[in-house]
């Protein structure tokens, strides 16, 4: 089953990284760029939250019944998040480079959340492929 804690850790990491990098960017560059970084990270965290909700209602065990109403509502929310992104691109309230940096923070947070989730399994306990031969 999917570890929803992974997405939650990535969300919190994205928000924390966005605030930290946004503040540093605002101090070293311009406030507009710093706000753009924070806004890009906030959008990315919102996107991860909606993805977590959608996966939570759509990805179920084979025998579990699926309720299509929550799936539909989370799908609409996902489209709303992308609509917000299009609005930001059209209106341009922040410099685009700041938004890109904010989105990149999400990728770093995903990698760090994945490293924190990684389990330690001995290679001897589960042989696969060439490991099983010999």
């Amino acid at each position: 089953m999917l570890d929803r804690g992974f997405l939650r850790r990535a969300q919190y990491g994205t928000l924390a990284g966005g605030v930290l990098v946004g503040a540093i960017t605002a101090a070293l560059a311009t406030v507009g760029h710093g706000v753009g970084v924070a806004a890009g990270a906030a959008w990315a965290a919102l996107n991860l939250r909606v993805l977590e909700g959608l996966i939570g209602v759509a990805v179920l065990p084979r025998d579990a019944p699926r309720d299509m109403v929550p799936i539909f509502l989370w799908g609409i929310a996902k489209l709303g998040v992308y609509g917000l992104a299009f609005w930001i691109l059209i209106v341009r309230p922040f410099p685009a480079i700041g938004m890109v940096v904010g989105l990149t923070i999400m990728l770093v947070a995903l990698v760090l959340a994945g490293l924190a989730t990684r389990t330690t399994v001995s290679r001897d306990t589960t042989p696969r492929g060439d490991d099983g031969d010999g």
Side-chain angles (χ1 to χ4, degrees):
M1 195 68 171
L2 176 70
D3 179 18
R4 293 178 69 185
F6 165 73
L7 289 175
R8 188 60 52 105
R9 284 187 298 278
Q11 291 167 38
Y12 292 146
T14 300
L15 288 173
V19 169
L20 179 66
V21 174
I24 292 170
T25 303
L28 297 178
T30 65
V31 173
H33 281 87
V35 172
V37 169
W43 180 87
L46 176 64
N47 191 22
L48 286 173
R49 173 61 189 111
V50 173
L51 178 64
E52 177 191 351
L54 183 59
I55 288 173
V57 296
V59 179
L60 300 172
R62 186 175 297 236
D63 299 337
R66 283 184 175 75
D67 187 2
M68 295 307 288
V69 173
I71 294 173
F72 175 76
L73 293 175
W74 280 111
I76 293 297
K78 188 75 169 153
L79 291 175
V81 169
Y82 287 119
L84 177 63
F86 286 129
W87 177 82
I88 289 172
L89 288 174
I90 291 169
V91 175
R92 298 166 73 110
F94 317 110
I97 192 70
M99 294 292 294
V100 170
V101 171
L103 294 174
T104 304
I105 292 170
M106 176 190 65
L107 300 175
V108 173
L110 283 168
V111 169
L112 293 175
L115 289 173
T117 303
R118 191 176 136 181
T119 59
T120 56
V121 177
S122 173
R123 291 178 52 100
D124 296 334
T125 60
T126 56
R128 296 178 296 210
D130 294 337
D131 292 341
D133 298 335

